[in-house]
Amino acid sequence: MTTLIDPSISYVLEDNLAAYRELFLCCCKKVLEFPRGTILSLGGNDIQCMYFLLDGIVKVYTTNPSGYIRILGYHKRNTLFVMDGICSDEPAVVTTESVTSVKVLAVTRKELSEMGKAEPDFLNNLLLYYGTVLRLMCFDAEIKSIDDVSSRLASFLCLYTDHLSPEEGGAVRLTQDELASAVNASRVQIARICSDFKSRGLIDCRRGRIFVLDRDRLSSISKYG
């Protein structure tokens, strides 16, 4: 099998392990379905297993003692999540929640080992996948500790829209509250910046959807564009 890991930074992970979908289906027999809003792992709690996402969307986030949510990223089909489950004796660090109804395979560390024996390339690609996620976490930590809110939002919108599927019609379907969580800002700040971006012709906002109209100019606000 050829390596299909995309090393670019993205807040939306999708199809990184698509080449191994059938291998997951063969080695991981427990298929589960969950409705929207299901907590699949909870920060600080024991981890039951990892999950391979067959269909749907999940979000990954942390919550501080005051209940403030900070979104770290989103998973779509053919990705592995609850990845801290690789350390099966440790509690979860982050929380994962289904954004839509989801269909998943429960995955254990033993099953990952069996998959590596069945497909020699698999463990190498799994390591690259973990590296992709680690790069996102490092990138996220850097921009949220150094860049101003405008730059953080511009970075997030550029990276998010770069990986939208054709079915999504170019729309970022996130509320201002969700955007605020994603870039570690207040809703008031996001509302003000979105209004500014809209007045400059960079984006258009329509009922919980944001369309990027001028990616080049938007990316110039972010040093990562």
Side-chain angles (χ1 to χ4, degrees):
M1 289 186 179
T2 58
T3 298
L4 296 181
I5 301 297
D6 181 358
S8 64
I9 299 293
S10 172
Y11 281 105
V12 183
L13 299 173
E14 181 177 18
D15 285 334
N16 299 71
L17 297 171
Y20 301 99
R21 183 182 175 96
E22 293 304 317
L23 182 62
F24 273 100
L25 286 166
C26 179
C27 295
C28 307
K29 303 299 185 181
K30 192 173 183 179
V31 180
L32 302 168
E33 295 188 36
F34 299 101
R36 175 181 178 180
T38 301
I39 301 297
L40 296 163
S41 71
L42 184 63
N45 286 22
D46 291 340
I47 298 172
Q48 303 302 313
C49 60
M50 293 167 279
Y51 296 102
F52 181 78
L53 188 54
L54 295 170
D55 290 295
I57 304 172
V58 300
K59 64 180 177 182
V60 183
Y61 60 88
T62 59
T63 307
N64 69 13
S66 300
Y68 179 79
I69 291 176
R70 174 173 166 181
I71 295 174
L72 301 175
Y74 294 83
H75 285 263
K76 295 185 178 181
R77 56 185 286 135
N78 298 323
T79 59
L80 188 68
F81 66 99
V82 190
M83 293 171 59
D84 37 2
I86 198 74
C87 304
S88 54
D89 298 328
E90 301 293 333
V93 175
V94 299
T95 297
T96 55
E97 178 181 345
S98 57
V99 176
T100 65
S101 58
V102 297
K103 184 177 181 180
V104 301
L105 289 168
V107 183
T108 66
R109 189 164 60 183
K110 180 180 178 181
E111 287 168 335
L112 289 179
S113 178
E114 292 172 351
M115 292 169 68
K117 294 176 183 177
E119 283 282 353
D121 289 343
F122 172 70
L123 292 180
N124 179 59
N125 281 276
L126 182 64
L127 179 61
L128 290 175
Y129 176 66
Y130 268 76
T132 297
V133 176
L134 178 61
R135 291 180 71 235
L136 171 58
M137 296 301 99
C138 292
F139 171 83
D140 182 79
E142 179 182 6
I143 67 168
K144 288 177 182 174
S145 61
I146 297 175
D147 293 355
D148 61 28
V149 178
S150 292
S151 180
R152 298 202 302 263
L153 182 59
S155 296
F156 180 84
L157 291 174
C158 287
L159 292 171
Y160 194 101
T161 54
D162 283 350
H163 291 79
L164 288 174
S165 65
E167 293 78 15
E168 291 168 300
V172 177
R173 299 176 185 274
L174 299 175
T175 66
Q176 290 189 348
D177 284 331
E178 289 171 322
L179 285 173
S181 294
V183 302
N184 196 27
S186 71
R187 187 184 183 285
V188 172
Q189 288 175 303
I190 295 301
R192 176 178 54 78
I193 294 169
C194 282
S195 178
D196 175 56
F197 285 178
K198 184 176 181 179
S199 69
R200 293 159 64 183
L202 304 177
I203 65 172
D204 187 22
C205 305
R206 308 177 202 164
R207 294 184 180 180
R209 294 180 297 168
I210 294 178
F211 297 86
V212 173
L213 303 180
D214 193 332
R215 192 201 184 283
D216 289 342
R217 288 173 58 209
L218 189 64
S219 67
S220 70
I221 299 173
S222 166
K223 62 183 177 182
Y224 295 99

